[in-house]
Amino acid sequence: MTGAAVLTAQAALRCGAGLVVSGIPESLNPIIESKLTETLSLPVSETKQGTFCAESFSDARERIDWSDVIVFGPGVSSSTDVRDFGIALVQSTQKPFIVDADGLRIFHHNLNLINDIEDLIIT
């Protein structure tokens, strides 16, 4: 669901974010690049199904550390690999965290993760 990622990036720009970087499974990067001209894309490793995976987190780690806010969920799918990626994301950062759509699945059977996030917005 690349449209969800595109809408999220555009919303961040409209809200005043100085620079928006969209982490995206590498096979979807050409779509994101053609739709978003004012943001950066960060193609990361993916599963055979074209979703985030454990290696995606390693690929994105530098940008995650650099970011002021993390958004996770729009368009990511509900696979176990994506859920594991999202959990790693939560556990590795103390940055403000926005979770939406399929990203909410990281809390299923893991409500204790909510306590790990100081600044959390759930939409």
Side-chain angles (χ1 to χ4, degrees), residues 24-84:
I24 193 82
E26 57 193 350
S27 66
L28 301 176
N29 194 58
I31 296 168
I32 294 297
E33 286 283 323
S34 69
K35 291 181 174 260
L36 293 173
T37 57
E38 297 178 4
T39 67
L40 300 177
S41 65
L42 176 65
V44 297
S45 299
E46 64 186 8
T47 64
K48 291 179 182 177
Q49 292 76 32
T51 65
F52 290 116
C53 59
E55 292 79 21
S56 306
F57 180 78
S58 298
D59 294 346
R61 183 61 199 226
E62 185 177 332
R63 281 293 185 180
I64 292 166
D65 292 342
W66 167 88
S67 299
D68 293 326
V69 177
I70 307 296
V71 178
F72 176 71
V76 295
S77 89
S78 60
S79 75
T80 303
D81 290 312
V82 170
R83 186 176 58 86
D84 293 344

Coordinates of all heavy atoms in Angstrom, one line a residue, residues 24-84:
I24 N 11.5 2.5 2.9 CA 10.6 1.7 2.0 C 11.3 0.4 1.5 O 12.5 0.5 1.2 CB 10.2 2.6 0.8 CG1 9.0 2.0 0.0 CG2 11.4 2.9 -0.1 CD1 7.7 2.3 0.6
P25 N 10.6 -0.7 1.5 CA 11.2 -1.9 0.9 C 11.7 -1.6 -0.5 O 11.1 -0.9 -1.3 CB 10.1 -2.9 0.9 CG 9.2 -2.5 2.0 CD 9.2 -1.0 2.0
E26 N 12.9 -2.1 -0.8 CA 13.7 -1.6 -2.0 C 12.9 -1.8 -3.3 O 13.0 -1.0 -4.2 CB 15.0 -2.3 -2.1 CG 15.0 -3.8 -2.0 CD 16.4 -4.3 -1.8 OE1 17.4 -3.6 -1.8 OE2 16.5 -5.6 -1.6
S27 N 12.1 -2.8 -3.4 CA 11.3 -3.0 -4.7 C 10.3 -2.0 -4.9 O 9.8 -1.8 -6.0 CB 10.7 -4.5 -4.7 OG 9.7 -4.6 -3.7
L28 N 9.8 -1.3 -3.8 CA 8.8 -0.3 -3.9 C 9.4 1.1 -4.1 O 8.6 2.0 -4.3 CB 7.9 -0.3 -2.6 CG 7.2 -1.7 -2.4 CD1 6.4 -1.6 -1.1 CD2 6.3 -2.0 -3.5
N29 N 10.7 1.2 -4.0 CA 11.3 2.5 -4.1 C 11.0 3.3 -5.4 O 10.7 4.5 -5.3 CB 12.8 2.4 -3.9 CG 13.4 3.8 -3.6 OD1 13.1 4.4 -2.7 ND2 14.4 4.1 -4.5
P30 N 11.0 2.6 -6.6 CA 10.7 3.4 -7.8 C 9.3 4.1 -7.7 O 9.1 5.2 -8.2 CB 10.7 2.4 -8.9 CG 11.6 1.3 -8.4 CD 11.4 1.3 -6.9
I31 N 8.3 3.4 -7.1 CA 7.0 4.0 -6.9 C 7.0 5.2 -6.0 O 6.5 6.3 -6.4 CB 6.0 2.9 -6.4 CG1 5.9 1.8 -7.3 CG2 4.7 3.6 -6.0 CD1 5.2 0.6 -6.7
I32 N 7.7 5.1 -4.9 CA 7.8 6.2 -4.0 C 8.5 7.4 -4.6 O 8.1 8.5 -4.5 CB 8.5 5.8 -2.7 CG1 7.6 4.8 -1.9 CG2 8.8 7.0 -1.8 CD1 6.3 5.3 -1.5
E33 N 9.6 7.1 -5.3 CA 10.4 8.1 -6.0 C 9.6 8.9 -7.0 O 9.8 10.1 -7.2 CB 11.7 7.5 -6.6 CG 12.7 7.1 -5.7 CD 13.5 8.3 -5.1 OE1 13.8 9.2 -5.9 OE2 13.9 8.2 -4.0
S34 N 8.7 8.2 -7.7 CA 7.9 8.9 -8.7 C 6.8 9.7 -8.1 O 6.4 10.7 -8.7 CB 7.4 7.9 -9.7 OG 6.4 7.0 -9.1
K35 N 6.4 9.4 -6.9 CA 5.2 10.1 -6.3 C 5.7 11.2 -5.4 O 4.9 12.1 -5.1 CB 4.3 9.1 -5.5 CG 3.6 8.2 -6.4 CD 2.7 7.3 -5.6 CE 1.9 6.4 -6.5 NZ 0.5 6.9 -6.6
L36 N 6.9 11.1 -4.8 CA 7.3 12.1 -3.8 C 8.6 12.8 -4.3 O 9.6 12.2 -4.5 CB 7.6 11.4 -2.5 CG 6.5 10.8 -1.7 CD1 7.0 10.0 -0.5 CD2 5.5 11.9 -1.3
T37 N 8.4 14.1 -4.6 CA 9.5 14.8 -5.2 C 10.2 15.7 -4.1 O 11.3 16.2 -4.3 CB 9.1 15.7 -6.4 OG1 8.1 16.5 -6.0 CG2 8.7 14.8 -7.5
E38 N 9.5 15.9 -3.0 CA 10.0 16.8 -2.0 C 10.6 16.1 -0.8 O 10.9 16.7 0.2 CB 8.9 17.8 -1.6 CG 8.5 18.7 -2.7 CD 7.4 19.7 -2.3 OE1 7.0 19.7 -1.1 OE2 6.9 20.4 -3.1
T39 N 10.6 14.8 -0.8 CA 11.1 14.0 0.3 C 12.2 13.1 -0.2 O 12.4 12.9 -1.4 CB 10.0 13.2 1.0 OG1 9.6 12.2 0.1 CG2 8.8 14.0 1.4
L40 N 12.9 12.5 0.8 CA 13.9 11.5 0.4 C 13.3 10.1 0.7 O 12.5 9.9 1.5 CB 15.2 11.7 1.3 CG 15.9 13.0 1.2 CD1 17.0 13.1 2.2 CD2 16.4 13.3 -0.2
S41 N 13.8 9.2 -0.1 CA 13.5 7.8 0.2 C 14.7 7.0 0.6 O 15.8 7.4 0.3 CB 12.9 7.1 -1.1 OG 13.8 7.0 -2.1
L42 N 14.5 6.0 1.4 CA 15.5 5.2 1.9 C 15.2 3.7 1.6 O 14.4 3.1 2.4 CB 15.7 5.4 3.4 CG 16.8 4.5 4.1 CD1 18.2 4.8 3.6 CD2 16.7 4.7 5.6
P43 N 15.6 3.2 0.5 CA 15.3 1.8 0.2 C 16.0 0.8 1.1 O 17.2 1.0 1.4 CB 15.8 1.6 -1.3 CG 16.6 2.8 -1.6 CD 16.4 3.8 -0.6
V44 N 15.3 -0.1 1.7 CA 15.9 -1.0 2.7 C 15.6 -2.5 2.2 O 14.7 -2.7 1.4 CB 15.3 -0.8 4.1 CG1 15.7 0.6 4.6 CG2 13.8 -1.0 4.1
S45 N 16.3 -3.4 2.8 CA 16.2 -4.8 2.5 C 14.7 -5.2 2.8 O 14.0 -4.6 3.6 CB 17.1 -5.7 3.4 OG 18.4 -5.3 3.2
E46 N 14.3 -6.3 2.1 CA 12.9 -6.7 2.2 C 12.8 -8.2 2.1 O 13.7 -8.9 1.7 CB 12.1 -6.1 1.0 CG 12.6 -6.6 -0.4 CD 11.9 -5.9 -1.5 OE1 11.1 -4.9 -1.3 OE2 12.1 -6.3 -2.6
T47 N 11.6 -8.7 2.5 CA 11.3 -10.1 2.4 C 11.0 -10.5 0.9 O 10.9 -9.6 0.1 CB 10.1 -10.5 3.2 OG1 8.9 -9.9 2.7 CG2 10.3 -10.2 4.7
K48 N 10.8 -11.7 0.6 CA 10.4 -12.1 -0.8 C 9.0 -11.6 -1.1 O 8.7 -11.4 -2.3 CB 10.4 -13.6 -0.9 CG 11.7 -14.2 -0.9 CD 11.7 -15.7 -1.0 CE 13.1 -16.3 -0.9 NZ 13.2 -17.7 -0.9
Q49 N 8.2 -11.2 -0.1 CA 6.9 -10.6 -0.3 C 6.9 -9.1 -0.4 O 5.9 -8.5 -0.6 CB 6.0 -11.0 0.9 CG 5.6 -12.5 1.0 CD 6.8 -13.3 1.5 OE1 7.5 -12.9 2.4 NE2 6.9 -14.6 1.0
G50 N 8.1 -8.5 -0.3 CA 8.3 -7.1 -0.5 C 7.9 -6.3 0.8 O 7.5 -5.2 0.7
T51 N 8.1 -6.9 1.9 CA 7.8 -6.2 3.2 C 9.1 -6.0 4.0 O 10.1 -6.5 3.7 CB 6.8 -7.0 4.0 OG1 7.4 -8.2 4.4 CG2 5.5 -7.3 3.3
F52 N 9.0 -5.2 5.0 CA 10.1 -5.0 6.0 C 10.5 -6.3 6.6 O 9.7 -7.2 6.8 CB 9.7 -4.0 7.1 CG 9.6 -2.6 6.6 CD1 8.4 -1.9 6.6 CD2 10.7 -1.9 6.0 CE1 8.2 -0.6 6.2 CE2 10.5 -0.6 5.6 CZ 9.3 0.1 5.7
C53 N 11.8 -6.4 7.0 CA 12.3 -7.6 7.7 C 13.4 -7.1 8.7 O 13.6 -5.9 8.8 CB 12.8 -8.6 6.7 SG 14.2 -7.9 5.7
A54 N 14.0 -8.1 9.4 CA 15.0 -7.7 10.4 C 16.2 -6.9 9.7 O 16.7 -6.0 10.3 CB 15.6 -9.0 11.0
E55 N 16.6 -7.3 8.5 CA 17.6 -6.5 7.8 C 17.2 -5.1 7.5 O 18.1 -4.2 7.4 CB 18.1 -7.3 6.6 CG 18.8 -8.6 6.8 CD 17.8 -9.7 7.1 OE1 16.6 -9.6 6.8 OE2 18.2 -10.7 7.7
S56 N 15.9 -4.9 7.3 CA 15.4 -3.5 7.1 C 15.9 -2.6 8.2 O 16.3 -1.4 7.9 CB 13.9 -3.5 6.9 OG 13.4 -4.4 6.0
F57 N 15.7 -3.1 9.4 CA 16.1 -2.3 10.6 C 17.6 -1.9 10.5 O 17.9 -0.7 10.8 CB 15.7 -3.0 11.9 CG 16.1 -2.2 13.1 CD1 15.3 -1.1 13.5 CD2 17.2 -2.4 13.8 CE1 15.6 -0.4 14.6 CE2 17.5 -1.7 14.9 CZ 16.7 -0.6 15.3
S58 N 18.4 -2.8 10.2 CA 19.9 -2.6 10.2 C 20.2 -1.5 9.1 O 21.0 -0.6 9.3 CB 20.6 -3.8 9.8 OG 20.5 -4.8 10.9
D59 N 19.5 -1.7 7.9 CA 19.7 -0.7 6.8 C 19.3 0.7 7.2 O 19.9 1.7 6.7 CB 18.9 -1.1 5.6 CG 19.3 -2.4 5.0 OD1 20.4 -2.9 5.3 OD2 18.6 -3.0 4.2
A60 N 18.2 0.8 8.0 CA 17.7 2.1 8.4 C 18.2 2.7 9.7 O 17.9 3.9 10.0 CB 16.1 2.0 8.5
R61 N 19.0 2.0 10.4 CA 19.5 2.4 11.7 C 20.1 3.8 11.8 O 19.7 4.6 12.6 CB 20.5 1.4 12.3 CG 20.9 1.7 13.7 CD 19.7 1.6 14.6 NE 20.0 2.3 15.8 CZ 19.8 1.8 17.0 NH1 19.1 0.6 17.1 NH2 20.0 2.4 18.1
E62 N 20.9 4.1 10.8 CA 21.5 5.5 10.8 C 20.5 6.6 10.7 O 20.6 7.6 11.4 CB 22.6 5.6 9.7 CG 23.3 6.9 9.7 CD 24.4 6.9 8.6 OE1 24.9 5.8 8.2 OE2 24.7 8.0 8.2
R63 N 19.5 6.4 9.8 CA 18.5 7.4 9.6 C 17.6 7.5 10.8 O 17.1 8.5 11.2 CB 17.7 7.1 8.4 CG 18.4 7.6 7.1 CD 18.5 9.1 7.1 NE 19.0 9.5 5.8 CZ 19.3 10.7 5.4 NH1 19.0 11.7 6.2 NH2 19.8 11.0 4.3
I64 N 17.3 6.3 11.4 CA 16.5 6.3 12.6 C 17.1 7.1 13.7 O 16.5 7.9 14.4 CB 16.2 4.8 13.1 CG1 15.4 4.1 12.1 CG2 15.6 4.8 14.5 CD1 15.3 2.6 12.2
D65 N 18.4 6.9 13.9 CA 19.2 7.7 14.9 C 19.2 9.2 14.6 O 19.1 10.0 15.6 CB 20.6 7.2 15.1 CG 20.7 5.7 15.6 OD1 19.7 5.3 16.2 OD2 21.7 5.1 15.4
W66 N 19.2 9.5 13.4 CA 19.2 10.9 13.0 C 17.9 11.6 13.1 O 17.8 12.8 13.3 CB 19.7 10.9 11.5 CG 19.5 12.2 10.8 CD1 20.4 13.2 10.7 CD2 18.4 12.5 9.9 NE1 19.9 14.2 9.9 CE2 18.7 13.8 9.4 CE3 17.2 11.9 9.6 CZ2 17.8 14.5 8.6 CZ3 16.3 12.6 8.8 CH2 16.6 13.8 8.3
S67 N 16.8 10.9 13.0 CA 15.5 11.4 13.0 C 15.0 12.0 14.3 O 15.5 11.6 15.4 CB 14.5 10.3 12.6 OG 14.7 9.8 11.3
D68 N 14.1 13.0 14.2 CA 13.5 13.6 15.4 C 12.2 12.8 15.8 O 11.9 12.8 17.0 CB 13.1 15.0 15.2 CG 14.4 15.9 15.0 OD1 15.4 15.6 15.6 OD2 14.3 16.8 14.2
V69 N 11.5 12.3 14.8 CA 10.2 11.6 15.1 C 10.2 10.4 14.2 O 10.7 10.4 13.0 CB 9.0 12.5 14.7 CG1 7.7 11.8 14.9 CG2 9.1 13.8 15.6
I70 N 9.6 9.3 14.7 CA 9.4 8.1 13.9 C 7.9 7.8 13.6 O 7.1 7.9 14.6 CB 10.0 6.8 14.7 CG1 11.4 7.1 15.1 CG2 9.8 5.6 13.8 CD1 12.4 7.2 14.0
V71 N 7.6 7.5 12.4 CA 6.2 7.1 12.1 C 6.3 5.7 11.5 O 7.1 5.4 10.7 CB 5.6 8.1 11.0 CG1 4.2 7.6 10.6 CG2 5.6 9.5 11.4
F72 N 5.4 4.9 12.1 CA 5.4 3.5 11.6 C 3.9 3.0 11.5 O 3.1 3.2 12.3 CB 6.1 2.6 12.7 CG 6.0 1.1 12.4 CD1 6.8 0.6 11.3 CD2 5.2 0.3 13.1 CE1 6.7 -0.7 11.0 CE2 5.1 -1.1 12.7 CZ 5.9 -1.6 11.7
G73 N 3.7 2.4 10.4 CA 2.4 1.7 10.2 C 1.7 1.9 8.9 O 1.3 0.9 8.3
P74 N 1.6 3.1 8.3 CA 0.8 3.2 7.1 C 1.3 2.4 6.0 O 2.4 2.6 5.5 CB 0.8 4.7 6.8 CG 1.1 5.3 8.2 CD 2.0 4.3 8.9
G75 N 0.5 1.4 5.5 CA 0.9 0.6 4.3 C 1.9 -0.5 4.6 O 2.3 -1.1 3.6
V76 N 2.2 -0.8 5.8 CA 3.3 -1.8 6.0 C 2.9 -3.3 5.9 O 3.8 -4.1 5.8 CB 4.0 -1.6 7.4 CG1 4.7 -0.2 7.4 CG2 3.1 -1.8 8.5
S77 N 1.7 -3.6 6.0 CA 1.1 -5.0 6.0 C 1.1 -5.6 7.4 O 1.7 -5.0 8.3 CB 1.8 -5.9 5.0 OG 2.9 -6.6 5.6
S78 N 0.6 -6.8 7.5 CA 0.5 -7.4 8.8 C 1.3 -8.6 9.0 O 1.0 -9.5 9.8 CB -1.0 -7.7 9.0 OG -1.5 -8.6 8.0
S79 N 2.4 -8.8 8.3 CA 3.2 -10.0 8.4 C 4.0 -10.0 9.7 O 4.2 -9.0 10.3 CB 4.1 -10.1 7.2 OG 5.2 -9.2 7.3
T80 N 4.4 -11.2 10.1 CA 5.2 -11.4 11.2 C 6.6 -10.6 11.1 O 7.0 -10.0 12.1 CB 5.5 -12.9 11.5 OG1 4.3 -13.5 11.6 CG2 6.3 -13.1 12.7
D81 N 7.2 -10.6 9.9 CA 8.4 -9.9 9.7 C 8.2 -8.4 10.0 O 9.1 -7.8 10.6 CB 8.9 -10.1 8.3 CG 9.4 -11.5 8.1 OD1 10.2 -12.0 8.9 OD2 9.1 -12.1 7.0
V82 N 7.1 -7.9 9.5 CA 6.9 -6.4 9.7 C 6.7 -6.1 11.1 O 7.2 -5.2 11.7 CB 5.7 -6.0 8.8 CG1 5.2 -4.6 9.2 CG2 6.0 -6.1 7.4
R83 N 5.9 -7.0 11.8 CA 5.7 -6.8 13.3 C 7.0 -6.8 14.0 O 7.3 -6.0 14.9 CB 4.7 -7.9 13.8 CG 4.4 -7.7 15.2 CD 3.4 -8.7 15.7 NE 3.9 -10.1 15.6 CZ 4.6 -10.7 16.5 NH1 4.9 -10.1 17.6 NH2 5.0 -11.9 16.2
D84 N 7.9 -7.8 13.7 CA 9.2 -7.9 14.3 C 10.0 -6.6 14.1 O 10.7 -6.1 15.0 CB 9.9 -9.1 13.9 CG 9.3 -10.4 14.4 OD1 8.4 -10.3 15.3 OD2 9.6 -11.5 13.8

